[in-house]
Amino acid sequence: MSRVPEWIGRLGAELTQVSRKLDERRAEVADADERRTPDPVTAGRGPATPAAAETAVPPQPQPPRPDPAQAVPWGVRVAAEAGWRLLVLAGTVWVLMRVISAVQLVVLAFVAALLITAMLQPTVARLRRHGVPRGLATALTAFLGFVVIGLIGWFVTWQVMENIDNLSSQIQDGIDELRNWLLNSPFHVTDKQINETAKNLREAVGANTEQITSAGLEGVTVVVEALTGILLAVFSTLFLLYDGARIWQWTLKLVPAAARPGVAGAGPRAWRTLTAYVRGTVIVALIDAIFIGIGIYFLDVPMAVPLAVFIFLFAFIPLVGAVVSGALAVVVALVTQGMFAAVMTLVVVLVVQQIEGHILQPFILGRAVRVHPLAVVLSVAAGGMIAGIGGAVVAVPLVAVTNTVVGYLRTHSREAALPDSPKPHGATALGAVPTEAAPPVVTDAPLTPDAPLDPGVSPDPGAPPVADPAPAEEPPAGPRPPRTDPPA
């Protein structure tokens, strides 16, 4: 038994020697195979000489494949980067519009409160400057403002109810006159054609009775929603007048710190634009209503005061409102007073509106809310399609405020990027060379606006003139920096 470990040890040593010999044999066979394999470069040139073997170029490794992003042209990459950002912005705007349409009543009430606040806030500020407390100034301004609005609404309703019977009879007389004019006109309209047209209108009204009834029921819902929106606008106006500054400071805290300085500077400018727009629109609308109302009053058009109020309200819808209110006045004059009164009403409306468009609006509104007419038409159309009359009213001030904010943010970002811009070189470097400030000269004479400010003139008459500093040597212009890849 004592010889078993010795036998196992000898067996292991012999196996190790056999394994070593097998490895050596494999290495010899591999070397022989490499010597027998011909080189593809020198295979067709016959046996290589010792000199050729010494000068043979070893095979070069293949270069790695470039990055796929580097293979795409630079312009295509820029277009792709801008494209997906535009898609993200479009998706954000679509989601925002869906949210606004879901809470349309709240949004319109708040926007109306902003417009009313922009109209009443200068009065609150004036009362505060005269020492009136903030709460009392807010209460007085809001009370007077809403009382005036309520009195205007009550007066319009009273005038309409007082003149509705007279207007109905005048409309009937106007329809009879229009019928007689058509019968005697050169259009060869017969009495039978007029009766058939009237019959078709009565049948259309009778066939759509259910739709008219449902529209009346929907009108009740609209009235309830209108009352709710009015209450929301009143409460929002009170809080904006009383605590608008703190509401704005709280809103700024929601903005990221990096963008807060720009937003803080754009907010007051946007508010000044909105205030100028509302104040100018109210003045222009009031002038239109007064002069057109006086004109149709002297033409004996019925309900001249309610028509003037409608002209004032429709003036808040730029371009479209003037056309609608003017057409309403012309139609009332036509069916009540005849063709001559209608033509004269049209002349009065056109003259007043031309004076408004070319003299009043540029003088009152000025450059603060200048918006291109194409932008006005498109914004009013889009606002009307999205939110009806309320959207058409708020579309133009929204575009004016957006224009102001975007312009300020562009200027602010450009000014913020100036410290990081490359230093001037070439001819512009001469004006940017820092010079040491001269020590102040103490004189007994006071500084007056007529004192010379030329640095080349010495304050002391007996002292030699101060020489201009030598211009700095112009540094050589370096190569243009390469184009940078758009950020991911």
Side-chain angles (χ1 to χ4, degrees), residues 409-422:
L409 291 179
R410 186 187 300 115
T411 305
H412 177 76
S413 61
R414 191 181 299 119
E415 291 177 354
L418 285 178
D420 299 333
S421 60

Side-chain angles (χ1 to χ4, degrees), residues 89-450:
L89 288 177
T92 304
V93 171
W94 182 81
V95 173
L96 183 62
M97 296 304 298
R98 296 288 294 179
V99 172
I100 291 176
S101 62
V103 290
Q104 179 178 348
L105 179 62
V106 178
V107 174
L108 288 179
F110 184 74
V111 173
L114 281 177
L115 296 177
I116 298 173
T117 304
M119 183 173 57
L120 299 180
Q121 195 269 337
T123 305
V124 176
R126 192 174 296 110
L127 291 176
R128 291 293 307 279
R129 286 195 297 269
H130 285 81
V132 181
R134 181 173 58 181
L136 182 59
T138 301
L140 288 175
T141 304
F143 177 76
L144 292 177
F146 289 124
V147 164
V148 170
I149 294 173
L151 287 177
I152 292 174
W154 170 80
F155 183 76
V156 171
T157 306
W158 174 62
Q159 286 289 315
V160 171
M161 296 302 295
E162 285 290 328
N163 295 277
I164 190 66
D165 296 332
N166 187 22
L167 182 63
S168 299
S169 61
Q170 289 180 346
I171 289 175
Q172 185 63 40
D173 295 339
I175 292 175
D176 294 337
E177 291 181 1
L178 180 62
R179 179 176 181 174
N180 295 329
W181 181 79
L182 289 174
L183 290 174
N184 299 322
S185 66
F187 299 107
H188 304 290
V189 179
T190 62
D191 194 7
K192 182 179 178 180
Q193 293 175 343
I194 295 175
N195 293 332
E196 288 180 355
T197 303
K199 182 180 178 181
N200 293 332
L201 290 175
R202 287 193 297 269
E203 290 178 353
V205 172
N208 297 319
T209 304
E210 295 182 358
Q211 296 180 0
I212 294 174
T213 305
S214 62
L217 295 176
E218 291 179 357
V220 175
T221 305
V222 170
V223 170
V224 174
E225 291 181 354
L227 292 177
T228 305
I230 290 173
L231 292 177
L232 286 174
V234 169
F235 280 104
S236 300
T237 302
L238 289 175
F239 283 108
L240 288 174
L241 286 174
Y242 180 76
D243 219 8
R246 281 195 286 181
I247 293 175
W248 172 245
Q249 295 298 328
W250 177 82
T251 306
L252 284 178
K253 294 179 181 178
L254 303 178
V255 181
R260 196 171 298 165
V263 176
R269 288 166 175 80
W271 181 251
R272 284 196 292 270
T273 300
L274 183 62
T275 303
Y277 174 82
V278 174
R279 183 175 61 249
T281 304
V282 168
I283 295 174
V284 171
L286 189 61
I287 294 175
D288 285 354
I290 290 174
F291 283 96
I292 295 177
I294 292 174
I296 61 179
Y297 175 78
F298 282 107
L299 291 172
D300 291 333
V301 177
M303 295 195 306
V305 176
L307 287 175
V309 174
F310 279 115
I311 291 171
F312 174 79
L313 295 177
F314 277 95
F316 285 90
I317 306 176
L319 299 180
V320 180
V323 174
V324 173
S325 60
L328 179 62
V330 172
V331 169
V332 173
L334 176 64
V335 299
T336 57
Q337 299 297 325
M339 183 63 67
F340 177 76
V343 172
M344 294 305 297
T345 303
L346 179 62
V347 170
V348 171
V349 170
L350 291 178
V351 169
V352 173
Q353 289 182 356
Q354 289 299 315
I355 294 175
E356 169 213 334
H358 293 86
I359 299 177
L360 295 180
Q361 282 191 355
F363 178 73
I364 296 174
L365 296 179
R367 301 178 60 88
V369 290
R370 180 171 294 179
V371 181
H372 196 276
L374 178 61
V376 172
V377 173
L378 294 179
S379 60
V380 169
M385 294 174 62
I386 294 173
I389 297 177
V393 171
V394 304
V396 176
L398 180 62
V399 171
V401 169
T402 303
N403 185 29
T404 301
V405 171
V406 171
Y408 173 78
L409 291 179
R410 186 187 300 115
T411 305
H412 177 76
S413 61
R414 191 181 299 119
E415 291 177 354
L418 285 178
D420 299 333
S421 60
K423 295 183 178 180
H425 62 276
T428 59
L430 298 178
V433 175
T435 57
E436 295 182 358
V441 179
V442 180
T443 60
D444 297 333
L447 182 63
T448 61
D450 298 332

Side-chain angles (χ1 to χ4, degrees), residues 43-62:
R45 302 178 184 174
T49 60
E54 292 178 357
T55 60
V57 179
Q60 298 292 332
Q62 293 184 357

